[in-house]
Amino acid sequence: MKLRALQQMFFDARSKTDDRLLSQLVADRKVAPEPGLSIYRNAYHARLVEALENDQKLLARYLGDALWPQLCTGFIGKNPSPYSWLRNFGDRLPAYLRRTEPLSQHPEIAELAQFERALLDCFDAPDATEPGVAWGAFAGLAPEQWPGLQLRLVPSLQLLSVRSNGIAIWRGLKAQSAPPKASLGASLGTPTV
Amino acid sequence: MFPCAVCKKAVIAHAPSGLESAPALDWLEITSENFMVAGGKPRHYLDAIRARYPLEMHGVSLGIGGTDPLHKTYLRALKQLMLHIEPAWVSDHLCLTGVNGLNSHDLLPLPYSEEAIAHLSDRIGQVQDYLGREILLENLSTYVEYSDSAKPEWEFLTQVSRRSGCRLLLDVNNIIVSARNHGFDPEVYLAGLPAERIWKINLAGHSDYQHYVIDTHDQDVPDAVWALYESAIRRFGAISTMIERDADIPPLEVLVSDLGHARQCHALALSGAAQ
């Protein structure tokens, strides 16, 4: 079999319903083809679940041990990764949550995921090339300097548009206290230290 | 002088406090992809570590055996990082990672065929030309074997390395894992390798499920791996060695102590006392 066809067959075999690869494997080894292939299938799923859990620790906690694995399985099945970096695998999770029933009926879930994702992006965003300005520095500005004042935002800044209290829920979870009840109407909750 | 190091995850798990005492490590390895970012915390720690130790870059996403075109964005980021930290080596795995624009984020095996050798030689040449240096490629731990494989793994590695000019990163634990899963003699594997092309050795632990073995990097280096390592050092000489530990990571001093054992293996094997 041509190399590319064999590779496509192996990639397709990550789905448990596609066993065509088994006919291309040596049968008389200590590990038979079927259990051998299962090791790759299990590793594929486990690795992607681990990546999502690393990205979305608080979402996983919010959804709990029943819903979170279901979400992972659904997302992994519908979103094969086009990324070179595993770090990006969860990029599309917030959008998936916004459009996928039944979780899409609870906008705070997608917004919580979006907020966690944005935090991750902040941590490895480009560094600011100029030092930040402390609030106190503004008090020292002469009145005639204000009209010409221009502020440049740090590269890591992101603006999120929210319509629920997803971020307040995130803060509650982060503080390991009971999160507020989900509601519409943007609420950022109480900052935690 | 036999440079030794512990794995990136082990060090990151202990950073920054673990490194404040500047443990006696000759060099450290990073997972390249973790630092191919614009800035922020990862790059801050990277620069701090680089200031104290020589570094080596080890990637998991090159996909050198794939049949999609080489990923230019990835290669550009890899080269930028390489120029920034000036690593001793740049390495990845002799494997497939994805196809048709999609990534498995796994290290999938290749058939040991003439077609694969020709394909790899061309691709490795492209990468080495672009980076302006030789790369190291690592043998995998595998759980299946293709009917299309026309030769044993060690012959495949030898031919790929000689034809492409790449060096080999010999993962001794992976040899033990694959030997158990496929039923070959690991000493025959070592005997079939080209000594002059082996540039680095990795040691790690695995999980033993009796009927099969999985490369998990969450255990101490087992006796069988240490024994094969001694044999490898006797055959190939003083090769830089790293201990990989990616989960259930013990205190850094334990890993540093294991490196002491690796150094002892070097000394014993080379003096002939271990024979």
Side-chain angles (χ1 to χ4, degrees):
Chain A
M1 175 174 276
K2 295 298 270 181
L3 185 59
R4 185 167 178 81
L6 188 60
Q7 293 185 346
Q8 184 68 59
M9 200 179 271
F10 203 131
F11 191 77
D12 292 344
R14 73 193 186 286
S15 155
K16 288 179 182 167
T17 57
D18 190 335
D19 282 335
R20 289 173 301 145
L21 182 69
L22 292 175
S23 65
Q24 301 298 318
L25 302 177
V26 178
D28 64 349
R29 294 295 183 261
K30 289 177 87 171
V31 179
E34 207 152 332
L37 182 55
S38 291
I39 292 172
Y40 287 100
R41 283 171 168 161
N42 294 338
Y44 173 77
H45 187 77
R47 181 172 295 104
L48 296 182
V49 169
E50 185 186 9
L52 293 174
E53 278 175 359
N54 281 337
D55 287 2
Q56 299 282 348
K57 293 183 182 69
L58 298 185
L59 176 64
R61 195 187 304 165
Y62 187 60
L63 293 181
D65 292 342
L67 267 181
W68 172 250
Q70 282 181 38
L71 168 62
C72 290
T73 300
F75 180 73
I76 291 167
K78 294 248 169 38
N79 292 273
S81 173
Y83 306 107
S84 286
W85 289 266
L86 185 57
R87 178 202 175 287
N88 295 107
F89 177 63
D91 281 359
R92 296 186 289 187
L93 185 66
Y96 176 81
L97 287 165
R98 275 194 292 273
R99 67 169 186 269
T100 307
E101 295 279 352
L103 296 182
S104 59
Q105 294 171 22
H106 306 274
E108 77 280 1
I109 294 175
E111 291 181 1
L112 198 165
Q114 184 185 16
F115 184 66
E116 280 218 286
R117 192 74 216 170
L119 280 176
L120 283 176
D121 290 338
C122 283
F123 276 114
D124 51 22
D127 297 323
T129 53
E130 296 165 359
V133 180
W135 280 114
F138 290 102
L141 290 173
E144 60 272 21
Q145 289 180 294
W146 280 93
L149 196 63
Q150 288 188 335
L151 293 178
R152 268 196 296 278
L153 302 172
V154 294
S156 60
L157 184 125
Q158 297 173 65
L159 290 175
L160 304 181
S161 177
V162 295
R163 62 192 181 99
S164 77
N165 65 340
I167 294 174
I169 292 171
W170 183 92
R171 282 187 157 135
L173 293 164
K174 183 73 177 171
Q176 298 196 314
S177 58
K181 194 168 181 299
S183 64
L184 284 178
S187 163
L188 303 183
T190 306
T192 53
V193 177
Chain B
M1 176 64 180
F2 311 119
C4 292
V6 291
C7 187
K8 56 280 178 181
K9 277 199 181 173
V11 169
I12 292 299
H14 295 293
S17 60
L19 291 175
E20 279 169 4
S21 60
L25 305 170
D26 300 290
W27 47 273
L28 294 172
E29 177 182 287
I30 61 165
T31 298
S32 309
E33 288 79 5
N34 289 349
F35 299 94
M36 290 177 175
V37 293
K41 199 172 171 182
R43 295 297 285 255
H44 169 79
Y45 278 125
L46 178 67
D47 289 344
I49 292 171
R50 179 69 185 91
R52 293 187 181 188
Y53 296 98
L55 291 180
E56 188 247 330
M57 284 168 55
H58 188 51
V60 293
S61 305
L62 179 59
I64 197 70
T67 47
D68 284 356
L70 285 163
H71 199 296
K72 288 181 180 169
T73 306
Y74 177 84
L75 281 177
R76 200 176 304 122
L78 185 71
K79 187 169 185 176
Q80 282 174 354
L81 184 63
M82 180 189 88
L83 293 173
H84 181 69
I85 67 169
E86 299 178 327
W89 312 289
V90 177
S91 61
D92 205 292
H93 301 81
L94 204 50
C95 71
L96 163 75
T97 53
V99 68
N100 211 12
L102 297 175
N103 200 332
S104 71
H105 298 292
D106 198 355
L107 309 171
L108 306 179
L110 296 164
Y112 308 138
S113 65
E114 287 299 330
E115 185 194 8
I117 292 170
H119 175 68
L120 282 162
S121 301
D122 177 56
R123 300 258 288 192
I124 294 168
Q126 289 181 50
V127 171
Q128 293 187 146
D129 287 348
Y130 179 73
L131 296 179
R133 65 187 298 165
E134 287 176 341
I135 58 173
L136 278 60
L137 291 170
E138 177 182 339
N139 58 303
L140 300 184
S141 53
T142 59
Y143 311 97
V144 298
E145 191 173 325
Y146 297 107
S147 308
D148 280 359
S149 288
K151 57 191 79 208
E153 184 178 339
W154 48 93
E155 282 185 33
F156 175 75
L157 293 176
T158 301
Q159 290 190 25
V160 168
S161 175
R162 287 196 169 139
R163 213 184 288 184
S164 70
C166 76
R167 303 282 179 175
L168 295 175
L169 193 179
L170 192 62
D171 190 311
V172 172
N173 177 55
N174 286 351
I175 297 174
I176 293 286
V177 169
S178 295
R180 283 278 305 274
N181 291 336
H182 304 307
F184 61 77
D185 181 347
E187 289 289 349
V188 171
Y189 189 114
L190 288 187
L193 291 174
E196 77 282 2
R197 306 218 66 81
I198 296 167
W199 223 241
K200 185 187 164 210
I201 290 178
N202 280 0
L203 302 173
H206 52 253
S207 295
D208 191 334
Y209 298 94
Q210 293 193 325
H211 297 299
Y212 55 87
V213 184
I214 298 183
D215 176 32
T216 46
H217 292 191
D218 61 354
Q219 311 272 330
D220 293 339
V221 178
D223 290 345
V225 173
W226 283 119
L228 193 64
Y229 174 62
E230 286 179 22
S231 181
I233 295 300
R234 279 198 300 272
R235 285 179 186 280
F236 307 131
I239 306 287
S240 292
T241 300
M242 191 188 75
I243 296 175
E244 296 182 287
R245 187 73 179 241
D246 294 338
D248 292 335
I249 296 170
L252 192 57
E253 51 267 29
V254 173
L255 291 166
V256 173
S257 167
D258 283 350
L259 284 176
H261 187 52
R263 290 188 177 99
Q264 282 178 348
C265 285
H266 268 245
L268 285 171
L270 293 177
S271 69
Q275 291 181 14

